[in-house]
Amino acid sequence: VDDVVGAWDPSAGKLTTVLYGHPWNVTAVATGRKTLALASGSSDGSVLIWNTETGKPSTALAHGKAVWALAFSPDDTRI
């Protein structure tokens, strides 16, 4: 399914977590460098910041245009 974010366990080679929240295709994902921060962007222009403990979006941002790339700042305070 293209509208979810999946987390894989590389040692086991299997899907461990699926995050639901985007209504359209997920086109970009970024992880924090110093924290457990996780963000995903969609072709509908939305960006979701995920609570990695609950698996739910904690913040939703509207970019306005399709999001094709995401990155966190070195201190994880900005996307």
Side-chain angles (χ1 to χ4, degrees), residues 1-77:
V1 179
D2 294 332
D3 59 348
V4 299
V5 176
W8 290 80
D9 177 348
S11 62
K14 64 182 187 176
L15 187 66
T16 59
T17 305
V18 178
L19 305 175
Y20 299 93
H22 284 286
W24 287 40
N25 293 343
V26 175
T27 52
V29 176
T31 58
R33 296 179 185 187
K34 296 183 177 187
T35 66
L36 293 175
L38 177 66
S40 58
S42 175
S43 57
D44 71 349
S46 65
V47 174
L48 297 178
I49 312 300
W50 296 89
N51 179 323
T52 55
E53 291 182 9
T54 67
K56 305 284 184 198
S58 60
T59 305
L61 307 170
H63 180 267
K65 295 185 180 184
V67 178
W68 297 109
L70 290 171
F72 278 90
S73 62
D75 61 0
D76 292 349
T77 60

